[in-house]
Amino acid sequence: MRTFSTALLLSVAIAASALAQGRSAPFTVAETGRSYGSLGEAVGAIGDGRGTIVIAPGTYRQCAVQQGGDVIYRAATPGTAIFDGVPCEGKGALVLRGRSSAVDGLIFQNIRVPDGNGAGIRLEGGTLSVSNSLFRNSEEGILTGDYDGGQVRIDKSTFRHLGRCDRDLDCAHGIYIGRLASLSVTNSRFDQGDGGHYLKTRTPRVTITGNSFDDSGGHLTNYMIDLSNGATGVISGNEMVQGKDKDNWSAFITVAPEGREHSSAGLVIEGNSAGFVPGLERGATFVANFTDDAVRIGRNRLAPSMKVSDRR
């Protein structure tokens, strides 16, 4: 699994800041070779077409809105292009409404907005692919709207210090995917949550494999995986550790806790490991099913005090 180490993050941040100071046009559209001083200008140059924006190392206090087209946002060197603290439309660093968007090797941090849903990426249209990226110290990593046909794929990315349940607002989560068609999350890491769920989705189909959910440093967190309205698909090969500081420790994975909209009879949960931080034992449930759908729970490595499943 590819993750960002603390030492690496520190070194690339220092290098990025230094390089950014000497570069006036850091956003280059690969297909034309033209460079722009702001990400928004580069997105506008692609318009409703197709293009790849190569982003030079640096820390950027700016954001962009994609209204159409097929746009790839790619760091020239993975882990050195940082979008810090500036949301567009009171939503996120990238607000995406095109046909498709892809993000590769970027860092999003310190995104907060008045309604408590400040995200690195806010997806409102089209498909989204995210790889080799880091989301940290924000209210949400990725948040989407509800629309037909949307697909989200996330691979080799890290979600850290995200989520919140304060200020009398609805909770925010590490990832919150709405009523789209499908979600795939693979080979990624979730840790040190600050409230809400690590991964929440309303999609009818999921692939959640090969990830790490490390709640040992979490603060007032809830579920690792919340399939809010039920789903089919597979949850396998994930490692989950529950910490002490929980708002709700009763379950690791939930099936349709907010009402059954999709059948979960085709959902397979197997080959995962789940336990607690050293010195902690709880009667938590691995899979809490709020429906009568026959979820297939295969072999998983669970802590001795944990219940495999229950009907709620």
Side-chain angles (χ1 to χ4, degrees):
M1 186 182 302
R2 195 170 175 184
T3 56
F4 290 84
S5 69
T6 302
L8 175 60
L9 289 172
L10 179 60
S11 64
V12 300
I14 293 172
S17 295
L19 286 168
Q21 293 174 4
R23 192 183 297 269
S24 59
F27 304 99
T28 300
V29 177
E31 290 76 10
T32 65
R34 294 192 62 182
S35 297
Y36 301 87
S38 76
L39 181 60
E41 290 173 326
V43 172
I46 294 172
D48 201 41
R50 295 175 178 269
T52 300
I53 301 172
V54 180
I55 303 170
T59 297
Y60 303 102
R61 292 177 176 84
Q62 56 178 281
C63 58
V65 178
Q66 178 187 341
Q67 298 284 13
D70 304 272
V71 180
I72 298 172
Y73 304 82
R74 177 177 295 153
T77 303
T80 64
I82 303 169
F83 289 90
D84 182 19
V86 178
C88 280
E89 299 182 346
K91 296 175 180 178
L94 289 180
V95 180
L96 306 175
R97 294 191 280 265
R99 287 187 299 270
S100 72
S101 306
V103 172
D104 185 10
L106 302 183
I107 297 176
F108 301 90
Q109 64 186 28
N110 304 322
I111 309 297
R112 294 174 177 82
V113 299
D115 72 2
N117 287 309
I121 297 175
R122 180 73 170 264
L123 179 66
E124 298 183 340
T127 63
L128 172 65
S129 175
V130 176
S131 59
N132 305 313
S133 294
L134 170 64
F135 301 78
R136 64 184 175 191
N137 303 332
S138 299
E139 291 164 327
E140 306 210 48
I142 300 172
L143 172 63
T144 84
D146 298 334
Y147 56 91
D148 293 337
Q151 298 179 352
V152 175
R153 295 178 296 276
I154 300 164
D155 186 49
K156 297 184 180 71
S157 295
T158 298
F159 298 83
R160 175 170 297 152
H161 271 310
L162 302 169
R164 43 142 296 280
C165 282
D166 58 4
R167 292 178 284 166
D168 294 322
L169 300 170
D170 290 341
C171 291
H173 312 280
I175 293 176
Y176 185 179
I177 308 301
R179 291 176 174 85
L180 306 187
S182 65
L183 169 67
S184 172
V185 183
T186 56
N187 308 309
S188 294
R189 179 175 176 84
F190 299 78
D191 61 27
Q192 303 177 56
D194 291 323
H197 310 311
Y198 283 92
L199 193 166
K200 177 183 177 77
T201 180
R202 299 184 186 275
T203 57
R205 182 153 189 88
V206 298
T207 300
I208 303 171
T209 61
N211 304 291
S212 170
F213 295 84
D214 182 1
D215 185 49
S216 58
H219 174 65
L220 295 176
T221 52
N222 287 282
Y223 308 133
M224 307 290 189
I225 300 172
D226 176 54
L227 308 179
S228 302
N229 304 118
T232 58
V234 60
I235 299 174
S236 69
N238 302 288
E239 299 178 358
M240 306 179 187
V241 176
Q242 190 182 93
K244 296 181 179 181
D245 188 2
K246 302 290 291 182
D247 181 56
N248 184 346
W249 53 262
S250 66
F252 282 61
I253 300 170
T254 58
V255 178
E258 297 183 32
R260 181 185 183 276
E261 295 181 10
H262 319 295
S263 171
S264 300
L267 179 64
V268 177
I269 302 175
E270 64 183 7
N272 304 282
S273 67
F276 307 102
V277 293
L280 179 65
E281 290 187 9
R282 284 181 176 143
T285 297
F286 181 51
V287 180
N289 191 348
F290 290 73
T291 77
D292 292 323
D293 294 337
V295 174
R296 177 184 159 190
I297 303 175
R299 287 190 175 185
N300 297 279
R301 299 178 302 280
L302 307 181
S305 64
M306 193 182 306
K307 293 184 289 185
V308 175
S309 64
D310 60 27
R311 171 68 169 88
R312 299 194 179 181

